Amino acid sequence: MLEDKNNEKTSLEQLGEFGLIEHLTKDFSIQHSSTFKGIGDDAAVLDFKDKKTVVSTDLLVEGVHFDLSYVPLKHLGYKTVMVNLSDIYAMNATATQITISIAVSNRFPLEALEEFYSGVALAAKIYNVDLIGGDTTSSNKGMLISVTAIGEANEENIVYRNGAKANDLLVLTGDIGAAYMGLQVLEREKEVFKVNPNSNPDLSMYSYIVERQLKPEARKDIVELLEKLEVKPTAMIDISDGLSSEILHLCKNSDVGCNLYEDKIPLDPTVISTCEEFKIDSTTVALSSGEDYELLFTIDQKEFPKIKGNPNLTVIGHMTEKNEGAHLISRNNSKIPITAQGWNSFAKHN
Ligand code: ADP
Ligand code: MG
């Protein structure tokens, strides 16, 4: 769709590399005292004083991680930042800076990058992070985006993947499976559009799951909530690849097993109804689908009163001794080993 409009748009060659960088970054301001020097020199300079610095990077490739035929560029800019901030929050840290590097082919006009950067700017403003640099280059085909997020934390507050103990409670934020079901709806509409370009689908009944796919929110609020509740998780990870694979990461890194209860997994009603419509098992989706950007963490049982009843937090299981393995306890009380793809493959359920 971008190509059709190209002739009315500003080509990137017209601006040149420096003009482009200047144009895209001029409205970003610096909010953190730890940003000693931001954009504009060979390198940014940061000063975290006595805090520890947390760093994480992601690379996103058009056609692999995103499809511009249904992802608006503004949403992509926003999501790109979220994906990365989520990793910082999963360390129980505060995100403070980001860098963004992009490579685009000549099919992208200036206006497309402006859209992308408007999403980045919105995310940076809402999540209070400074854009401190990046790189801009051309690609032979498509768009590539790399984001690095930087954060800070006191050493004693950082939560790793390796601290879970047997009998710790396993806690999940929000609900899961929605981003994947939103993608199913968008993919279906893309196919309909191919056959009938005049179709104007009404996606309002799917708005929650489509939004979870296109405009996810990283759980900054949970890091703040845990601080307020005075709960320090023993281990934590963000859900980018699906519940089962993240649980297995926690188990492996912490040298423990776990029991996950199927009936405790939080699912939005839209996820359940869309799963029925697509004839997919909702537990399989919860376990195997990705991109929810919720946080999964473990806490000592004695912390339970502090989190009890909080609508953002659901206890979905508990950790066990390693030799007990990692299992899903199903609704009919059978014990099913958790595998990286979930307890059963998508294929078997289709
Ligand atoms: P260099 O030639 O040293 O790589 P650049 O000319 O690429 O420097 O970058 C100049 C400044 O602009 C640097 O501060 C760099 O971090 C920043 N910058 C470059 N591209 C981007 C981008 N896409 N987004 C944000 N900042 C950028
Ligand atoms: Mg450069």
Side-chain angles (χ1 to χ4, degrees):
M1 273 199 279
L2 284 170
E3 275 140 321
D4 305 337
K5 294 183 189 161
N6 238 354
N7 43 6
E8 323 151 12
K9 302 278 178 172
T10 318
S11 79
L12 296 181
E13 291 101 295
Q14 279 170 256
L15 279 116
E17 187 187 330
F18 298 117
L20 174 63
I21 296 170
E22 156 70 13
H23 184 82
L24 293 177
T25 61
K26 64 181 181 335
D27 295 328
F28 285 82
S29 61
I30 297 299
Q31 301 298 326
H32 290 274
S33 59
S34 55
T35 308
F36 201 75
K37 168 78 193 178
I39 291 171
D41 214 306
D42 295 313
V45 182
L46 305 179
D47 181 1
F48 287 99
K49 305 265 175 2
D50 52 357
K51 300 233 178 167
K52 287 279 177 280
T53 312
V54 182
V55 182
S56 178
T57 293
D58 278 301
L59 177 63
L60 301 171
V61 179
E62 183 180 354
V64 178
H65 302 101
F66 56 89
D67 183 337
L68 289 176
S69 60
Y70 53 73
V71 177
L73 277 155
K74 182 173 180 179
H75 286 74
L76 182 64
Y78 192 89
K79 182 168 175 173
T80 300
V81 178
M82 286 311 117
V83 169
N84 237 252
L85 296 189
S86 180
D87 285 317
I88 302 295
Y89 302 137
M91 302 300 289
N92 202 31
T94 304
T96 44
Q97 288 90 10
I98 50 169
T99 68
I100 302 228
S101 301
I102 49 172
V104 283
S105 67
N106 57 14
R107 97 171 201 266
F108 290 82
L110 172 66
E111 287 74 10
L113 295 186
E114 282 177 343
E115 275 289 298
F116 177 81
Y117 266 79
S118 69
V120 171
L122 184 63
K125 183 160 172 265
I126 295 175
Y127 284 78
N128 190 28
V129 292
D130 296 342
L131 178 69
I132 57 156
D135 202 19
T136 309
T137 189
S138 57
S139 85
N140 289 334
K141 194 169 176 287
M143 182 178 194
L144 295 95
I145 311 158
S146 173
V147 182
T148 297
I150 298 165
E152 61 177 30
N154 291 320
E155 187 175 357
E156 66 272 20
N157 293 336
I158 297 178
V159 176
Y160 298 92
R161 294 178 179 183
N162 66 2
K165 301 270 181 299
N167 301 317
D168 280 358
L169 299 175
L170 182 64
V171 185
L172 181 66
T173 67
D175 56 72
I176 54 169
Y180 177 82
M181 291 317 293
L183 182 64
Q184 299 314 300
V185 170
L186 289 168
E187 294 271 5
R188 182 176 68 185
E189 293 315 320
K190 181 183 169 183
E191 294 308 312
V192 173
F193 186 82
K194 275 187 196 160
V195 180
N196 175 13
N198 296 321
S199 70
N200 195 359
D202 175 14
L203 296 183
S204 56
M205 66 185 282
Y206 304 109
S207 59
Y208 177 70
I209 59 177
V210 168
E211 178 141 345
R212 291 276 285 173
Q213 168 59 223
L214 293 180
K215 191 170 175 286
E217 303 289 347
R219 299 308 304 255
K220 178 179 197 266
D221 60 325
I222 297 295
V223 175
E224 293 159 358
L225 176 69
L226 291 172
E227 190 185 9
K228 201 177 99 205
L229 298 175
E230 296 181 16
V231 173
K232 186 190 169 190
T234 50
M236 184 151 66
I237 193 167
D238 75 321
I239 311 256
S240 50
D241 297 335
L243 185 57
S244 60
S245 95
E246 313 300 4
I247 286 180
L248 291 177
H249 281 308
L250 286 185
C251 287
K252 184 162 186 281
N253 283 274
S254 298
D255 244 357
V256 291
C258 91
N259 284 333
L260 163 70
Y261 293 87
E262 182 180 19
D263 61 347
K264 303 285 188 221
I265 299 173
L267 300 173
D268 187 86
T270 318
V271 170
I272 296 169
S273 59
T274 314
C275 282
E276 280 167 10
E277 189 187 333
F278 278 77
K279 300 190 169 46
I280 313 178
D281 178 74
S282 59
T283 303
T284 307
V285 168
L287 289 174
S288 309
S289 72
E291 297 199 293
D292 289 307
Y293 303 107
E294 294 295 341
L295 295 173
L296 177 71
F297 61 88
T298 54
I299 56 168
D300 190 294
Q301 293 214 8
K302 70 174 188 309
E303 306 273 47
F304 178 65
K306 297 184 188 169
I307 67 153
K308 193 180 168 195
N310 190 300
N312 287 295
L313 307 175
T314 310
V315 176
I316 57 171
H318 61 87
M319 311 318 274
T320 63
E321 296 298 341
K322 186 183 182 181
N323 59 17
E324 292 180 44
H327 291 95
L328 177 81
I329 313 299
S330 73
R331 283 195 188 86
N332 59 14
N333 218 17
S334 50
K335 213 171 169 183
I336 304 155
I338 297 175
T339 65
Q341 300 79 39
W343 57 280
N344 223 324
S345 69
F346 278 118
K348 278 189 183 161
H349 279 261
N350 276 337

